[in-house]
Amino acid sequence: MGYKIVYIEDLDAASVLHDLSRCGLDVEHCKPTSFTETIADVDERNPDLILMDFRLMQGGGEVDAPAIAQYYRSRSIDAPKQSLPIVLLSNDQKIQGYYDDFTSHDLFDFSISKGYLSERKEKYSHLMKELIDSYGTISALQKNDKDLLELLNTPDSLQHDVDPRINEILSSKKYQSNIYMASSFILNSVVKPIGVLIGEDVLSARLGVSMTSVDWKELCKYFNEFEYKGLYSGAYRRWWSVGIDNWWLENVDSNNHLKRLNSAQKLQLLIHKYKGIQLDKVKGDTTSKTETFWSICQHSLIPIDPSEAFEIKSDLTLYPWLDSQYYSYTSIRDNDFNEYLTDLEKLRYKELAKRS
């Protein structure tokens, strides 16, 4: 299918149009004027997705991105078929400042800086395509009163292991009738964070095996059934966390949960189980002592042991199935992330820094 995008930008749009067009997207530039005229212009083009710059008044326009996004989100309440993905594009500073306002999270599917889009245009072009396809998939399920849990494509063997509250949320009336809310929930509360699903870097940390190992891909084939194949799996490669736990206990070591062993122990067991496989031990922070890795540093993305790392202050709206986030000692020391820690972790870091 075609993927038609309207890019609302009051300044030069050539570079963005060029980057996205090269990745199979049909992109048209809409220069904003008044609110009414801008909406009419967008509607006339009948896009599958709206991409817009954060500030639309620098070049003489009279409307900003949140106002336009709010209009389309409100309109979709009464006309679900008119629901469209909306992506925010600007520079890092503007986006961060805007996202300090929690109300913005109800407007945009995701946000990205222009520089980052240029660097990773293939990845984010693919995500935009998935957004468009996913809105269509959700709409079809809602129209036929189908269970939105189908969107996760959970393996049969894990049907009773996944947190039941996810099903409760997706089955609620507001998610069954709102395409954006259902899509946003799955993308931002199930697929992207560490919790029910884990990415390749976390998988590497938990198995104690480096992703640069000669047979890393071969190892992943052994638990292929637990690779996530639901909504947004094309843009984000993930595995079911509980599936990996079960696979380890059933196939590698029935006496010890993955969480109890360090990297060297896990590596030895894997090499013993799968003869001839070439695997290397994963490496963590230079200050790490235990190597009982279970997560990754949110800054460096290197493996960390939560007991050694420092917990980041959590958003009170986070769901219970999501894991805590951490920074390694080195990341805090070198980047001044102390302010993002919980009060208890600030004290612990301060004491450790005195002894270092």
Side-chain angles (χ1 to χ4, degrees):
M1 63 170 288
Y3 298 94
K4 187 173 183 178
I5 293 178
V6 166
Y7 176 36
I8 307 176
E9 168 65 272
D10 60 340
L11 301 176
D12 181 31
S15 62
V16 172
L17 265 62
H18 176 264
D19 286 342
L20 297 182
S21 296
R22 289 180 59 193
C23 296
L25 295 170
D26 178 10
V27 192
E28 296 182 4
H29 179 206
C30 170
K31 190 174 179 63
T33 52
S34 69
F35 181 84
T36 302
E37 291 173 337
T38 301
I39 294 297
D41 190 3
V42 172
D43 287 346
E44 185 177 352
R45 299 168 190 265
N46 192 30
D48 298 310
L49 179 147
I50 298 174
L51 175 68
M52 64 177 81
D53 185 65
F54 174 65
R55 299 195 186 281
L56 299 173
M57 294 181 282
Q58 299 178 71
E62 301 172 7
V63 65
D64 61 10
I68 295 177
Q70 183 63 62
Y71 169 80
Y72 280 101
R73 293 303 182 207
S74 299
R75 190 172 76 172
S76 66
I77 294 175
D78 297 321
K81 290 184 179 180
Q82 296 183 31
S83 185
L84 291 170
I86 305 174
V87 177
L88 183 68
L89 182 65
S90 194
N91 64 53
D92 288 324
Q93 184 176 0
K94 291 176 182 175
I95 288 177
Q96 184 58 51
Y98 182 63
Y99 268 77
D100 284 341
D101 174 8
F102 67 90
T103 60
S104 67
H105 290 282
D106 292 330
L107 298 179
F108 302 98
D109 290 271
F110 73 91
S111 64
I112 184 174
S113 71
K114 291 179 181 177
Y116 209 54
L117 175 63
S118 180
E119 293 172 5
R120 302 191 176 187
K121 46 184 169 288
E122 291 82 7
K123 173 182 177 179
Y124 287 102
S125 293
H126 189 83
L127 178 54
M128 290 182 203
K129 292 175 185 178
E130 279 215 74
L131 276 169
I132 294 169
D133 290 340
S134 296
Y135 268 55
T137 300
I138 295 170
S139 177
L141 287 178
Q142 291 176 339
K143 181 180 178 180
N144 295 296
D145 294 322
K146 294 290 186 66
D147 189 347
L148 294 185
L149 195 62
E150 291 182 21
L151 297 167
L152 300 182
N153 197 14
T154 310
D156 292 340
S157 61
L158 301 181
Q159 291 292 337
H160 301 294
D161 292 325
V162 178
D163 195 310
R165 288 166 290 194
I166 294 177
N167 187 29
E168 292 174 5
I169 290 173
L170 287 174
S171 300
S172 64
K173 185 176 180 180
K174 65 179 181 179
Y175 285 89
Q176 286 283 350
S177 60
N178 190 305
I179 297 174
Y180 165 68
M181 288 187 67
S183 169
S184 180
F185 172 74
I186 292 174
L187 179 62
N188 298 308
S189 300
V190 178
V191 175
K192 291 174 67 175
I194 302 171
V196 176
L197 302 175
I198 55 174
E200 192 170 12
D201 42 13
V202 177
L203 177 66
S204 168
R206 293 188 180 183
L207 292 177
V209 178
S210 171
M211 291 185 289
T212 62
S213 298
V214 173
D215 288 330
W216 169 251
K217 291 183 180 179
E218 190 65 28
L219 176 64
C220 291
K221 291 179 182 178
Y222 290 111
F223 39 82
N224 182 62
E225 66 176 298
F226 299 120
E227 184 168 354
Y228 176 66
K229 297 178 175 65
L231 213 64
Y232 298 114
S233 58
Y236 296 93
R237 193 181 186 195
R238 298 289 187 267
W239 286 262
W240 293 93
S241 175
V242 66
I244 299 300
D245 294 344
N246 293 346
W247 166 81
W248 177 268
L249 291 171
E250 292 172 7
N251 296 278
V252 183
D253 185 352
S254 60
N255 297 315
N256 293 293
H257 189 279
L258 268 170
K259 208 167 189 177
R260 295 179 58 186
L261 304 173
N262 63 36
S263 295
Q265 293 169 325
K266 286 182 276 195
L267 183 66
Q268 183 178 14
L269 287 166
L270 286 168
I271 292 176
H272 177 73
K273 170 68 178 181
Y274 303 106
K275 307 295 185 183
I277 196 168
Q278 297 183 56
L279 302 175
D280 300 316
K281 190 175 70 170
V282 73
K283 295 181 180 179
D285 188 277
T286 55
T287 62
S288 178
K289 295 181 176 61
T290 70
E291 293 194 334
T292 311
F293 303 130
W294 194 249
S295 189
I296 56 171
C297 169
Q298 289 298 303
H299 172 70
S300 66
L301 305 183
I302 61 174
I304 54 171
D305 176 348
S307 69
E308 290 187 317
F310 297 84
E311 187 175 349
I312 300 171
K313 284 185 286 191
S314 65
D315 183 338
L316 294 179
T317 63
L318 288 180
Y319 293 105
W321 58 80
L322 300 182
D323 289 7
S324 297
Q325 296 182 322
Y326 302 91
Y327 283 135
S328 68
Y329 175 83
T330 303
S331 287
I332 301 172
R333 182 196 64 197
D334 297 345
N335 297 277
D336 194 24
F337 289 153
N338 192 60
E339 63 179 295
Y340 301 114
L341 305 180
T342 64
D343 291 340
L344 184 61
E345 293 292 63
K346 286 179 182 178
L347 291 174
R348 188 165 72 88
Y349 172 76
K350 186 176 181 180
E351 290 301 316
L352 185 59
K354 286 181 180 178
R355 300 195 299 267
S356 301

